[in-house]
Amino acid sequence: MGDNKEKPAAEGGVPVRESKLYYAHQSIDQSDIDAVVRVLQGDYLTCGPAITSVEKKLCEVTGAKYAVVCANGTAALHMACMAADIGPGDEVITTPITFAASANCALYCGAKPVFADINERTYNLDPAEAEKKVNENTRAIVAVDYTGQSVELDRFLDLCRRRGLVLIEDGAHVIGTKYRGRPNGSIADMTTLSFHPVKTICGGEGGAVLTNSETYYQKLLLARAHGITRDVSLMEHTPDGPWYYEQIALAPNYRITDMQAALIESQLNRLDLFAARRKEIKRRYDEAFSRLPQLFVQEEIPESDTVRHLYVLRLVPERISIDRAQFFAALAAENIVCNVHYIPVYYFPYYQKHGYKKGLCPKAEKLYDEMLTIPFYYAMTDQDVDDVIRAVTRIAEYYAK
Ligand SMILES: *Cc1c(COP(=O)(O)O)cnc(C)c1O
């Protein structure tokens, strides 16, 4: 093995970096801090003007007609399922290569998540695999824009129209991406966003549902706050005073604070900057890693003009003598801290106890065995990017077979 190759730190070489580099990190500047402080000095900490303002901004950025911000991306998914009237006996199709929330949202409504396999080159849910799982109980598809690449929206919309299904796009990774020139968020029946600090836009916590439908919009407002309305046209009884409101459905409290809303809006003002840098880092990674036969570079459909949220490396087992866990450890020895997105959702004990079995989605399972997420975020310096490329390259070449 590799006499003239650079020795990885795992084999006694000098680590590429002295300080640790993590897979994601938020970028907070003075304008973000000022925006939050202004809210704290004002009258409203919840249900205030920062909420309506960020919702207007989200509509501008995504082209959606309506936006409803909420506590987090998981709440957004639950709200979307409630707005779609999903309930016991219903089935909701999604991908196993996602965060658990994309499937849990069906369970919250008493419905059953059904997993369909991915496309092995783009890693997104495959519309043909999803269609195979449609039956008379299917009510919705939760399609996840994995790593920020748009799912094949035309094919999913066509499938949903033909079979009478609701298309919920889990866009936790997607903000900034365009599908056929239109921003994601303005195309599916409902699109959910997340503003967790690892995501492209940070609110500490936070989420949103975007839709063009007035009907869904009204239901989303109820789903955000107890099923309570102050809209007289929705009430059953005549108000007996200006204080009057009615609870007409059952829902949790999924509100977000005005401080978080202000932070999200402030971050959205820099979305173009974030997007440009992410595209630049992605281009440099792709260029470097496509030269290494030990690695497979995630492919993209031409319809998606992608702002990446995550960068995923995939090992080619025929060409490298170490496995994913060893590759992960070798990068850690270089002080490059990776992650894995995601463990197939149905591997979790909760799902296993409810009858889901390994082997369900073979392409997703194979991807899980071979992939890891490397550092990828706006604030990475060129030196950071160079370090990652050098570390990945020395490990891939040292263990080449
Ligand atoms: C982050 C994420 C969520 C959940 O968002 P939270 O804001 O953390 O609740 C849902 N789906 C996907 C694909 C995510 O990455």
Side-chain angles (χ1 to χ4, degrees), residues 378-397:
Y378 168 76
M380 285 178 80
T381 64
D382 287 339
Q383 185 62 53
D384 293 337
V385 176
D386 288 342
D387 289 347
V388 174
I389 290 174
R390 186 169 152 223
V392 168
T393 305
R394 62 149 72 161
I395 294 164
E397 289 185 338

Side-chain angles (χ1 to χ4, degrees), residues 89-153:
D90 294 339
E91 295 187 3
V92 176
I93 296 169
T94 193
T95 170
I97 300 295
T98 186
F99 183 60
S102 317
N104 289 347
C105 59
L107 293 169
Y108 296 155
C109 293
K112 180 183 166 195
V114 173
F115 297 97
D117 215 344
I118 57 165
N119 176 305
E120 65 212 317
R121 308 186 77 82
T122 67
Y123 314 154
N124 265 332
L125 180 62
D126 182 337
E129 295 290 338
E131 182 150 21
K132 285 187 205 161
K133 305 281 172 149
V134 176
N135 63 34
E136 65 278 12
N137 297 320
T138 311
R139 289 294 314 281
I141 295 177
V142 175
V144 181
D145 303 302
Y146 176 70
T147 71
Q149 170 172 208
S150 178
V151 291
E152 295 175 73
L153 281 167

Side-chain angles (χ1 to χ4, degrees), residues 72-75 77 98-99 101-102 144 170 172-173 194-196 199 205-206 309 342:
N72 52 63
T74 305
L77 283 161
T98 186
F99 183 60
S102 317
V144 181
D170 180 344
H173 302 179
S194 165
F195 305 113
H196 184 282
K199 310 288 161 78
E205 294 278 356
H309 156 55
Y342 292 92

Side-chain angles (χ1 to χ4, degrees), residues 174-185:
V174 92
I175 197 151
T177 293
K178 294 187 175 81
Y179 179 80
R180 288 190 196 276
R182 286 169 66 190
N184 289 63

